[in-house]
């Protein structure tokens, strides 16, 4: 083959190679930008999902609590929905309450959380801490209105159950 | 032949990239938003507030429940329907109107007692403790739950209001005269 022709061929292939490299570079930059954007968006979305899942978990815990025989109102063995017996709540609250005394057992059910009961009617009472097992400083709070049943007076008061679930 | 193969290759790459972009877009469009999940929590809150509120005992009113007092309030009005809001509670208009058959205490009948108590409970729990906005309505001649979304014939209205996204809960409340519609909207504070 003639060397001048060989020279021309080499230049042309070099140019083609250069073009391919440039296209690949641009493509890689675009892919990199897309990936960075995707990571940013998915991180924000993941954090939102995590918070929502924690909130849903808190609601599940609230429902578990209101159905615990240790707290729930019952008549002839039938548990009333969304109802807490005020005498059972008094017995379970505070450092001498059975939730604190049997903390290891209840930690399996309630995990790291704080559960507080507020009486809102007929007058606002002082809050009763039913269960407390703290871990870290990040927590998610959910409220659930409940009936506070007084079996002696046969009255139903308006109460609020607060659960703070510790996340990390 | 070689050139056409290269072109086909290029087209394939473009199609693959477009497919990825479409997949990315679709996954974002189809994903349930955070708002939907927050809505679930607020919906649970609204339904619990409503069911608990109406079962609450009025300790200073012969141990009737607030739901029973609301029923008596409407039955005591007869054909003339009153309309109140939280301003009528604070300035005493509701006491002066003195509606309802059950007398809870001298000068305080079922309407006054029940609506004052409902207003107080909602304000102390939703506004002060849980920190959400709300809109509570009792409607006369409400034609199903839809009526509480565009309210007319309002007997009682309270709450700071919910102009933004809201969770709606409604409960029909039968009386001997008609079925009332009791509605509660809950929304995040902006």
């Amino acid at each position: 083959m003639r060397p001048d022709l060989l020279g021309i061929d080499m230049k042309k292939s070099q140019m083609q190679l250069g073009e391919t490299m440039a296209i690949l570079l641009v493509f890689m930059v675009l892919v990199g930008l897309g990936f960075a954007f995707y990571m940013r968006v998915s991180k924000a979305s993941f954090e939102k999902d995590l918070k929502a899942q924690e909130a849903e978990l808190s609601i599940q815990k609230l429902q578990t609590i209101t159905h615990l025989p240790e707290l729930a109102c019952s008549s002839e063995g039938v548990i009333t929905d969304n109802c807490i017996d005020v005498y059972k709540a008094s017995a379970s609250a505070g450092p001498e309450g059975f939730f604190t005394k049997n903390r290891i057992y209840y930690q399996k059910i309630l995990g790291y959380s704080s559960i507080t009961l507020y009486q809102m009617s007929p007058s606002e009472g002082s809050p009763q801490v039913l269960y407390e097992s703290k871990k870290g400083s990040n927590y998610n709070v959910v409220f659930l209105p409940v009936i506070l049943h007084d079996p002696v007076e046969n009255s139903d008061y308006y109460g609020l159950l607060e659960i703070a679930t510790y996340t990390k | 032949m070689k050139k056409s193969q290269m072109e086909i290759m290029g087209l394939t790459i473009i199609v693959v990239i477009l497919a990825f972009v479409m997949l990315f877009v679709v996954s974002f469009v189809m994903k349930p938003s955070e708002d939907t999940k927050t809505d679930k929590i607020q919906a649970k809150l609204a339904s619990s507030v409503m069911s608990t509120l109406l079962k609450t005992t009025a300790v200073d009113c012969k141990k009737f429940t607030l739901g029973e007092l609301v029923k008596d309030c409407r039955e005591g009005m007869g054909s003339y329907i009153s309309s109140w809001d939280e301003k009528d509670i604070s300035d005493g208009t509701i006491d002066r109107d003195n509606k309802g058959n059950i007398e809870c205490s001298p000068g305080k009948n079922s309407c006054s007692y029940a609506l004052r108590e409902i207003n107080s409970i909602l304000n102390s729990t939703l506004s002060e403790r849980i920190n959400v906005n709300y809109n509570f309505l009792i409607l006369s001649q409400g034609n199903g739950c839809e009526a509480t979304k565009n309210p007319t014939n309002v007997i009682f209205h309270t709450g700071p209001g919910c102009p933004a996204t809201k969770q709606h809960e409604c409960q029909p409340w039968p009386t001997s005269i008609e079925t009332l519609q009791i509605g509660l909207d809950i929304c995040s504070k902006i």
Side-chain angles (χ1 to χ4, degrees):
Chain A
M1 197 177 282
R2 281 162 54 188
D4 56 335
L5 285 176
L6 191 68
I8 291 163
D9 275 353
M10 274 186 73
K11 269 185 186 170
K12 199 178 170 185
S13 64
Q14 276 175 335
M15 274 183 67
Q16 278 178 343
L17 194 68
E19 269 177 23
T20 312
M21 293 282 277
I23 289 166
L24 271 174
L25 191 74
V26 171
F27 181 72
M28 292 298 277
V29 168
L30 283 174
V31 167
L33 284 173
F35 188 70
F37 174 73
Y38 175 77
M39 287 303 285
R40 204 170 158 183
V41 171
S42 58
K43 191 187 168 196
S45 158
F46 175 74
E47 280 168 1
K48 277 183 184 175
D49 277 358
L50 197 70
K51 278 190 177 176
Q53 275 179 7
E54 283 161 5
E56 281 178 21
L57 193 72
S58 301
I59 288 180
Q60 280 177 10
K61 276 187 188 171
L62 281 172
Q63 283 170 336
T64 307
I65 295 158
T66 53
H67 286 87
L68 281 176
E70 295 91 320
L71 285 175
C73 315
S74 58
S75 176
E76 294 175 2
V78 179
I79 285 178
T80 314
D81 218 20
N82 264 19
C83 179
I84 287 177
D85 189 311
V86 286
Y87 291 99
K88 289 181 180 178
S90 304
S92 65
E96 291 300 309
F98 62 78
F99 274 125
T100 311
K101 284 183 177 171
N102 303 294
R103 204 177 119 175
I104 296 170
Y105 171 74
Y106 286 107
Q107 184 135 14
K108 284 179 199 160
I109 304 168
L110 304 170
Y112 290 103
S113 54
S114 297
I115 298 156
T116 313
L117 184 65
Y118 300 90
Q119 184 176 321
M120 308 306 291
S121 87
S123 57
E124 273 192 55
S126 53
Q128 288 182 300
V129 179
L130 300 178
Y131 170 81
E132 197 164 49
S133 179
K134 290 182 177 175
K135 185 190 179 187
S137 57
N138 293 335
Y139 57 86
N140 183 34
V141 179
V142 173
F143 291 91
L144 182 76
V146 286
I147 289 167
L148 299 177
H149 180 66
D150 184 335
V152 176
E153 293 289 325
N154 196 23
S155 296
D156 292 325
Y157 310 127
Y158 191 95
L160 205 56
L161 205 55
E162 179 201 72
I163 182 163
T165 307
Y166 290 87
T167 51
K168 275 179 188 174
Chain B
M1 187 69 181
K2 210 176 172 186
K3 199 178 171 185
S4 64
Q5 277 177 333
M6 290 268 284
E7 279 175 2
I8 288 167
M9 189 82 164
L11 275 172
T12 314
I13 290 168
I14 290 167
V15 168
V16 168
I17 291 169
L18 279 176
F20 270 107
V21 170
M22 284 297 283
L23 200 72
F24 183 70
V25 170
V26 166
S27 71
F28 269 93
V29 172
M30 296 291 281
K31 203 171 184 181
S33 66
E34 165 72 2
D35 286 346
T36 315
K37 286 170 179 168
T38 314
D39 284 353
K40 278 185 196 168
I41 294 164
Q42 288 187 349
K44 172 76 186 156
L45 179 67
S47 67
S48 301
V49 168
M50 192 72 101
S51 64
T52 311
L53 189 67
L54 296 170
K55 286 178 196 163
T56 301
T57 308
V59 283
D60 301 327
C61 193
K62 301 166 188 173
K63 290 199 175 176
F64 285 106
T65 65
L66 292 180
E68 286 167 336
L69 290 179
V70 167
K71 180 175 176 278
D72 177 77
C73 171
R74 175 64 192 95
E75 286 167 356
M77 280 181 202
S79 54
Y80 177 78
I81 297 162
S82 305
S83 180
W84 299 292
D85 59 20
E86 53 194 324
K87 208 177 101 222
D88 297 315
I89 291 174
S90 55
D91 68 13
T93 307
I94 200 164
D95 297 328
R96 285 192 292 278
D97 287 350
N98 206 23
K99 292 281 171 69
N101 295 322
I102 298 169
E103 190 179 39
C104 299
S105 57
K108 209 175 246 185
N109 283 17
S110 54
C111 289
S112 168
Y113 185 92
L115 302 181
R116 194 178 283 277
E117 193 69 12
I118 287 170
N119 184 53
S120 160
I121 290 173
L122 291 177
N123 187 44
S124 61
T125 54
L126 296 177
S127 266
E128 291 171 14
R129 186 76 63 183
I130 307 178
N131 203 30
V132 288
N133 279 339
Y134 65 95
N135 195 30
F136 180 84
L137 291 162
I138 300 177
L139 301 182
S140 162
Q141 297 166 4
N143 190 18
C145 269
E146 282 301 308
T148 50
K149 291 182 180 171
N150 301 298
T152 49
N153 304 315
V154 179
I155 291 177
F156 180 63
H157 168 246
T158 185
C162 264
T165 317
K166 56 192 176 185
Q167 267 309 310
H168 187 76
E169 181 68 26
C170 134
Q171 189 157 343
W173 203 248
T175 70
S176 61
I177 296 173
E178 60 170 342
T179 299
L180 300 172
Q181 297 295 332
I182 304 178
L184 177 69
D185 297 329
I186 285 184
C187 57
S188 303
K189 278 192 175 172
I190 301 161

